[in-house]
Amino acid sequence: MHQPDFGLLNPAWAATPAATTASDAAFAQAMLDVEAAWARVQAKAGICTAEDAEAITAVARVELYDLAALAERGPDGANALIPLLGMMRKQLAEAGAPAGASSALHRGATSQDIIDSALQLMASRTRTLVLAEARRAGTALARLATEHAKTPAVARSLTQHALPTTFGLRAANWLSALTASARGLEQVSLPLQWGGAVGTLASLKQKLGELDPQATGDELDEKIHALTAELAAELGLEDPVAPWHTNRTPVVELGSTLAALVAALGSMGADVLTASRPEIAEVSEPREEGKGGSSAMPQKQNPVLSVLLRNAALAAPAHVSSLFLAAGTAVDERPDGGWHTEWAALRELLRLAGGAAAHAATLTEGLQVHPDALARNMALSGDLLVSERVSTVLAPLLGKDRVQALVRSSLGTCETLRALLRAALPVEDFSDAQLASLLDPLEYLGATGSIINRICADFSAWKES
């Protein structure tokens, strides 16, 4: 027996808003919404009666349909729209709808029109939720970046201590990636697909010609494009230049922007996972009753939010790959399997982006930063943390090779770089105060403050746009 997909094996999106907006029921409702909107557009144009459109709209409610039966019949025509139309016509008959309603339903359209447009509609509804959660996460990251703009931390390169930085810049860099990917998702085109059986709109033009025999071909074409523009507006989708059933760019671009957001959040999650290890302990996830516990080890507090972000980031690329593979092997005016492959992949990317954004918002709003641990870990490298600066400043006095030899000597002995430099530099050439300033990591933070400010300002501009 067919059962709903609750996400038992998909914790990255289970129980988040996207689980609802990208569910089977949501997709079925989106198909119904497209059919109902088209009926209303026809009524406005006089192609069918207002009563026909009202009757179709009345039966375009997902709760009227058995989705298990719909799924079972889907393989018969290789898509769910074909059996859904049969169910809709049955509902119209049982409701005593006008005779014209059945004819108006799906007039001039094809399965791909409805399914592609329904997926874009489902994406539009899910995107609204995703971007709201992204704004929540971004607001929290901007706060962390500002609060910790001067909290010193060690920057790591290829897992090793590199140079001084601040935790504020680390949070700002997470914010920068989030802002860029969220902006991309917001700007990606979500167009209506409407082309009829093979993208020529021939059936619709035939019908319009019957209604207005005196109209020229060009006049009928203008009416057709006006109708599709009206339908796009009715659904809140973009009006395309032309039917795009053979051009899968809208699908791969949408999938790519969703995956980019998931990747940005996954990278942040990976950083938090590393930094929250007990031996590092620079940050910790928010504690919430019932979350993060172990089934066997009661002392553990697992960083589950970051785990879910990483889970989403690891899962998303395979679905993007499926979209590109389907697009790159699409043939004819309707692909033989490639189009069908897009559906589940795109839906899963919507779920993963929605789930990741929701978890990221919770994580960032409650993330605990531990300055003492940041300072302790930074101190492990001692004066060597600013060896880049030492080399630049002292090379003219000691020679680059000599400076590098002193750095290597400090690495291989128990002597500090400070002591070795003091012995090598006459006090009259380089005072103790100058040496202390040279080795102070807080004096080698570069343009950290202005970078943070620029990133936060960029996020604010996007958030308020």
Side-chain angles (χ1 to χ4, degrees):
M1 179 183 295
H2 173 77
Q3 294 290 335
D5 184 358
F6 293 108
L8 294 181
L9 295 178
N10 301 94
W13 54 257
T16 65
T20 298
T21 59
S23 66
D24 279 356
F27 174 62
Q29 184 61 66
M31 289 193 292
L32 293 165
D33 289 341
V34 174
E35 293 286 6
W38 178 228
R40 293 192 293 272
V41 168
Q42 290 182 74
K44 289 179 183 178
I47 302 173
C48 72
T49 67
E51 290 74 21
D52 293 336
E54 290 171 3
I56 292 171
T57 299
V59 301
R61 294 182 291 118
V62 71
E63 62 269 20
L64 298 176
Y65 301 94
D66 183 345
L67 297 188
L70 183 62
E72 289 170 4
R73 293 174 57 187
D76 295 343
N79 70 64
L81 190 274
I82 294 172
L84 181 60
L85 287 172
M87 293 178 176
M88 291 183 75
R89 289 193 170 98
K90 183 179 178 181
Q91 287 281 346
L92 288 170
E94 292 176 351
S102 184
S103 298
L105 177 65
H106 198 64
R107 175 181 280 132
T110 192
S111 298
Q112 187 160 6
D113 294 336
I114 307 304
I115 290 175
D116 278 352
S117 295
L119 285 169
Q120 297 290 301
L121 185 56
M122 186 169 73
S124 176
R125 291 165 175 171
T126 303
R127 179 172 66 175
T128 299
L129 297 176
V130 173
L131 293 176
E133 297 289 13
R135 287 183 171 88
R136 274 184 60 204
T139 300
L141 285 174
R143 173 182 54 78
L144 286 170
T146 302
E147 289 179 359
H148 293 282
K150 296 182 179 180
T151 302
V154 61
R156 298 176 175 91
S157 173
L158 302 179
T159 76
Q160 304 301 297
H161 283 200
L163 291 172
T165 185
T166 69
F167 186 82
L169 182 57
R170 184 168 295 152
N173 284 330
W174 294 338
L175 176 61
S176 178
L178 170 63
T179 303
S181 57
R183 181 182 281 127
L185 177 58
E186 184 177 58
Q187 293 175 349
V188 73
S189 176
L190 298 179
L192 172 79
Q193 158 54 29
W194 208 256
V198 295
T200 63
L201 292 164
S203 176
L204 183 56
K205 187 170 183 177
Q206 175 71 27
K207 180 63 178 178
L208 292 175
E210 293 172 359
L211 293 173
D212 187 2
Q214 304 305 314
T216 66
D218 288 344
E219 289 172 341
L220 294 175
D221 288 349
E222 287 301 315
K223 288 184 179 180
I224 286 173
H225 297 310
L227 287 172
T228 56
E230 178 72 18
L231 178 57
E234 180 83 11
L235 293 169
L237 298 176
E238 294 183 31
D239 180 24
V241 172
W244 50 269
H245 60 298
T246 61
N247 167 20
R248 308 316 291 167
T249 302
V251 176
V252 296
E253 286 185 345
L254 172 58
S256 296
T257 59
L258 290 166
L261 177 62
V262 172
L265 299 178
S267 178
M268 178 180 69
D271 278 345
V272 173
L273 284 169
T274 298
S276 64
R277 288 173 179 266
E279 60 270 27
I280 299 176
E282 293 176 354
V283 299
S284 55
E285 286 199 355
R287 290 184 177 271
E288 187 175 341
E289 185 67 29
K291 290 189 176 180
S294 167
S295 63
M297 295 165 282
Q299 87 283 3
K300 287 188 69 183
Q301 181 65 33
N302 296 317
V304 292
L305 293 170
S306 300
V307 166
L308 295 176
L309 293 182
R310 187 164 171 78
N311 170 204
L314 290 170
H319 300 294
V320 180
S321 177
S322 292
L323 294 181
F324 275 92
L325 181 61
T329 59
V331 295
D332 301 325
E333 277 61 50
R334 187 164 304 134
D336 49 356
W339 174 51
H340 308 73
T341 300
E342 295 173 354
W343 308 338
L346 186 58
R347 193 261 287 273
E348 191 63 15
L349 285 166
L350 288 168
R351 286 170 156 179
L352 288 170
H359 295 312
T362 302
L363 171 64
T364 54
E365 287 179 341
L367 187 68
Q368 299 174 39
V369 182
H370 307 301
D372 290 346
L374 288 163
R376 180 195 69 225
N377 292 333
M378 187 172 70
L380 293 175
S381 287
D383 300 327
L384 292 169
L385 194 61
V386 291
S387 61
E388 178 189 63
R389 186 188 194 195
V390 169
S391 180
T392 301
V393 174
L394 297 183
L397 293 175
L398 298 176
K400 185 175 182 179
D401 291 344
R402 180 79 187 283
V403 173
Q404 291 181 346
L406 291 172
V407 170
R408 288 194 297 270
S409 178
S410 179
L411 283 169
T413 67
C414 294
E415 289 192 80
T416 66
L417 181 60
R418 186 183 302 261
L420 292 171
L421 290 173
R422 183 69 286 165
L425 285 164
V427 174
E428 58 270 21
D429 292 339
F430 212 82
S431 68
D432 288 342
Q434 286 177 299
L435 184 59
S437 175
L438 177 68
L439 298 175
D440 185 352
L442 297 184
E443 293 190 24
Y444 198 56
L445 293 173
T448 299
S450 64
I451 294 171
I452 292 171
N453 291 338
R454 288 169 68 89
I455 290 172
C456 289
D458 183 49
F459 167 72
S460 294
W462 170 71
K463 179 183 177 182
E464 295 167 7
S465 63

